Structures are given as structure tokens and as C-alpha cells.
Amino acid sequence: MANVDNTLDILNLQLAGGENESQLLIFNVDRESFGVDVLLVQEIIRYAPPTQIPNAPRAVKGVINFRGDVIPVLDLRERFSLPSRDYDEFTVVVVVEFNSKTMGLIVEQVSDIVSLGHQNIQLTPEFSEDEKTAYLKGMGKLGEHLILLIDMDKIMNLKEKKDLEAALESSVQ
């Protein structure tokens, strides 16, 4: 079965979920399915190389102009310490907003929007120092399939946020 780019279909999809459900945007990084609360998603845009910023944290690939604002773009493969790979026609940037901050997440492919009942979401115990699990807040069960739920508050630590702010300030001067 060939990969189908359904990014634009997903952008236009609207779901009405119940109170006991979470709606998640599902995307892939290194053959794993990750989810982020759809309410945090501002837009999904096709990947274009960002403008690089000297001295930015390693996972920050650069910045892009998003609706008139300059926002950082984070490569989740890099964030999870996975080997790099070439970006392709399925690579997209998921623009998210959380804690009044907007950032882009480079992912390999957006696959779906799903509603998961809270009974199918399990908080992730502090079970590992693995890079992929350090940034999770839970796991969702969709049939036999597991979805790793990203904790946006942990995706960048305080030092990285300060380093990024300093790099952005110095690049403007």
C-alpha cells in the first residue's frame, strides 16, 4: 500500500468529541505513533527548510515565519536522539501553541485525528531515561496500537529555552 499524503484532508477535518474523550493529532516519528492534543495544534504546513540560528539548541533546526511571527522549529527525530534522515514529501511541520508559546514540530508524516476515551489513556510512569519516553505524559491505546502522548511542557527544558531565546536575540542584532 502506497503512502498517501492526507495532510490537507486532516486540516479540513472537524470532529466533535465527548467530555470523556481526548482528540489527538497522530503523527509518525521513526515508525512510532505520537499524539498531541488537537486543541494545541494551530496548523499543519508542508516542510520547507527553516532559517538556521547560530548557537540554538541542537534539536532546533531554525525558525520560520508563521503568520507574521518568527517561531522556532524543533526536529522530533533530533529531540528523541534518533538517527537523522532526509526530509521527504510527507514531512510536515505541526505548529503548536502551549503556555502562550508557538513552535513548530518537524514530523515524518501526519496520519490521523482520533478521539480516545480517557479509559484508553494511561499516564506514563517515570520508567525510563530513554529520550523518547522522557517527553511523554501518557500512552493511548487504540485497539492493539499504542500512541505515545507528547508532554509539550517537557519537549524543551528550561536551559534550552533560555539558550534559544539568547540565540534568537543575538541573531536579530
Side-chain angles (χ1 to χ4, degrees):
M1 182 174 172
N3 283 332
V4 176
D5 184 358
N6 59 355
T7 303
L8 297 178
D9 293 337
I10 290 173
L11 280 173
N12 295 318
L13 183 62
Q14 294 183 349
L15 294 174
E19 284 181 25
N20 294 322
E21 292 184 342
S22 292
Q23 290 186 18
L24 303 170
L25 177 75
I26 308 300
F27 53 83
N28 298 73
V29 178
D30 195 43
R31 292 174 282 171
E32 297 284 349
S33 294
F34 290 86
V36 65
D37 189 325
V38 77
L39 296 176
L40 300 178
V41 176
Q42 297 294 301
E43 196 168 324
I44 301 166
I45 55 179
R46 295 192 190 284
Y47 175 80
T51 302
Q52 293 184 350
I53 300 296
N55 303 316
R58 192 182 85 190
V60 176
K61 288 298 173 190
V63 294
I64 60 172
N65 180 345
F66 177 71
R67 297 181 186 167
D69 291 325
V70 175
I71 65 167
V73 178
L74 187 77
D75 188 329
L76 289 185
R77 286 189 72 81
E78 190 80 34
R79 169 77 314 163
F80 300 149
S81 297
L82 296 168
S84 63
R85 70 169 258 218
D86 291 337
Y87 302 125
D88 60 24
E89 70 271 16
F90 299 106
T91 304
V92 295
V93 177
V94 177
V95 179
V96 293
E97 183 179 345
F98 62 100
N99 294 333
S100 301
K101 300 281 187 197
T102 304
M103 80 167 27
L105 305 174
I106 300 172
V107 303
E108 291 164 20
Q109 182 177 18
V110 170
S111 59
D112 210 351
I113 294 177
V114 300
S115 291
L116 272 186
H118 290 166
Q119 73 277 9
N120 291 323
I121 296 175
Q122 178 179 337
L123 295 180
T124 306
E126 300 291 329
F127 59 83
S128 172
E129 291 298 315
D130 184 289
E131 288 294 318
K132 273 196 285 193
T133 59
Y135 306 107
L136 300 181
K137 68 177 174 182
M139 299 180 114
K141 295 174 273 190
L142 190 62
E144 296 297 314
H145 192 68
L146 285 181
I147 299 166
L148 306 172
L149 307 178
I150 291 185
D151 186 339
M152 291 306 301
D153 289 325
K154 293 181 182 175
I155 206 72
M156 285 184 78
N157 65 38
L158 185 59
K159 181 183 181 329
E160 289 172 319
K161 289 176 187 173
K162 287 181 178 180
D163 289 349
L164 177 60
E165 288 172 10
L168 288 169
E169 278 183 31
S170 68
S171 70
V172 172
Q173 297 172 354

